[in-house]
Amino acid sequence: MKRIIAAVLTLVLFGSLTACDVQNKKEEEVPAYPVRVANVTVQTQPEKVACLSPSLVEILFEHGYGDKVVIRTDDAGYPEQVKEIPSAGKTGHLDTSAIVAALPDVVLTHDSLSKKDMEALETAKIQVIVLPMAKNLEELKKLYQNIGLLFLGQKGGSQAGADQFAKIESGLNSIKAKLPAEAANSTFLYIINPSGIIATGDTFESSVLSVFGTNAAQDAVGYAVDAKEMQAKDPDFIFVADPYGLPHLQSNAGYKNFSAVKNGKVYTLDNTLFGLQSGRILDLVGKVAVALYPEVFDQSEGESSEQTASEPVASVASK
């Protein structure tokens, strides 16, 4: 009986190991390509990319694929070597012949192209992948994962993108960890235009600035908020987009009675940096941290690793 039991157990164990081996082989046999990126099926790893968005160019360089960018747009100029890449003109006024002449495998863009441009690229058999701008940090992570999928396929592509985005998460968490205890209960408002355009809870701006507290307009949507309603919430501090600043709000009937305005807790942000949805968002958050809590954050924490104190990325946070 003991021999029979031992034999049965051996067969069961052998069967389990064989099943695991078969499963592992199946996983190994999954090809990297084709892979689905956004709504496009990519058959092979691209060797040449036409990138029609400054932030997508930056993300490609962050991933180490900058050498694959063969065409950019006029507004892409970071990092410095990007300026050496030929341009296809301005967004909305593209020179599709220049794109076709560069022989890219794919075109990456944040926005859908015009019918005319799409027809020209389709005729040249060039795939167009639209990766919309993120509305929050979670969507930005997905964008990074799509870049990983594009270049590495199903074998680790998504994870590679997530790992790259983790550097941004780590930077944001590092800044958040150094904030004073009272920051956790702070509230803010980001006024993009005093005429009524405010970053509501469903915006990328709100998602990033929430490192510093709760958006007073968290429950609103679509950048439309009533100033009187926000005054009742009495945010601790106010961000306002350049070229606006404290004097503009002091002379504005809708905002002059806010406590933050009366107390001078108003900071000007370079709103263009929110449009550059890449690792440079850490520059913006670092500068905001220095402006809000100079006693906690050193000036160098508001600077990128590729700049000096005399060469700021932008005038990001100042009263």
Side-chain angles (χ1 to χ4, degrees), residues 189 226-235 253-255 257-259:
L189 194 65
D226 182 73
K228 291 183 179 179
E229 181 183 343
M230 291 300 100
Q231 184 177 343
K233 291 182 178 290
D234 197 27
Y255 298 103
N257 292 319
F258 278 60
S259 296

Side-chain angles (χ1 to χ4, degrees), residues 4-307:
I4 293 174
I5 293 174
V8 171
L9 290 175
T10 299
L11 289 172
V12 171
L13 178 59
F14 179 76
S16 297
L17 292 174
T18 301
C20 288
D21 185 55
V22 171
Q23 180 62 32
N24 289 335
K25 285 183 177 179
K26 284 184 178 180
E27 291 179 356
E28 291 175 1
E29 291 171 359
V30 174
Y33 296 89
V35 65
R36 193 75 171 168
V37 181
N39 295 319
V40 177
T41 298
V42 180
Q43 297 295 333
T44 60
Q45 183 187 64
E47 292 299 324
K48 296 182 179 181
V49 179
C51 203
L52 309 182
S53 162
S55 58
L56 288 175
V57 169
E58 293 186 19
I59 292 174
L60 290 185
F61 271 84
E62 287 176 28
H63 277 80
Y65 301 128
D67 61 334
K68 295 183 182 295
V69 180
V70 293
I71 280 286
R72 63 179 175 97
T73 49
D74 289 351
D75 50 354
Y78 185 91
E80 189 64 28
Q81 55 264 46
V82 170
K83 297 177 182 178
E84 300 175 4
I85 299 172
S87 174
K90 298 180 180 180
T91 301
H93 301 279
L94 296 172
D95 180 355
T96 51
S97 62
I99 297 176
V100 172
L103 301 175
D105 300 306
V106 297
V107 170
L108 287 181
T109 176
H110 271 321
D111 303 305
S112 298
L113 303 182
S114 69
K115 182 179 180 180
K116 178 182 177 181
D117 290 341
M118 282 297 297
E119 288 176 348
L121 296 174
E122 287 173 358
T123 298
K125 301 186 183 307
I126 299 173
Q127 287 187 305
V128 177
I129 300 177
V130 180
L131 299 175
M133 294 191 73
K135 294 180 180 179
N136 51 54
L137 291 172
E138 190 59 35
E139 287 189 8
L140 185 60
K141 178 179 179 179
K142 181 64 176 177
L143 193 156
Y144 271 67
Q145 290 177 304
N146 273 323
I147 294 298
L149 283 172
L150 176 62
F151 288 97
L152 294 178
Q154 299 183 72
K155 291 189 174 181
S158 181
Q159 186 59 53
D163 290 344
Q164 188 64 43
F165 180 77
K167 298 176 183 179
I168 297 177
E169 288 183 309
S170 178
L172 293 175
N173 289 334
S174 178
I175 291 173
K176 194 170 184 177
K178 291 184 65 175
L179 295 174
E182 62 268 21
N185 299 317
S186 295
T187 57
F188 68 87
L189 194 65
Y190 181 30
I191 302 170
I192 299 174
N193 188 309
S195 65
I197 302 176
I198 294 175
T200 47
D202 59 336
T203 64
F204 184 73
E205 295 92 334
S206 177
S207 180
V208 172
L209 293 174
S210 290
V211 169
F212 302 104
T214 302
N215 185 356
Q218 183 67 28
D219 297 330
V221 296
Y223 291 97
V225 181
D226 182 73
K228 291 183 179 179
E229 181 183 343
M230 291 300 100
Q231 184 177 343
K233 291 182 178 290
D234 197 27
D236 296 304
F237 45 87
I238 292 176
F239 300 120
V240 60
D242 184 67
Y244 304 105
L246 179 59
H248 295 88
L249 300 188
Q250 289 174 325
S251 61
N252 187 300
Y255 298 103
K256 66 180 183 181
N257 292 319
F258 278 60
S259 296
V261 174
K262 292 181 177 180
N263 298 328
K265 297 294 184 179
V266 175
Y267 304 87
T268 295
L269 304 185
D270 180 356
N271 196 56
T272 61
L273 290 186
F274 287 109
L276 293 176
Q277 297 184 349
S278 66
R280 279 206 291 167
I281 202 67
L282 289 175
D283 293 326
L284 172 66
V285 176
K287 285 179 176 292
V288 173
V290 171
L292 292 179
Y293 304 104
E295 70 283 1
V296 176
F297 292 89
D298 184 82
Q299 183 68 37
S300 62
E301 295 183 74
E303 301 165 5
S304 72
S305 59
E306 295 187 23
Q307 68 185 66

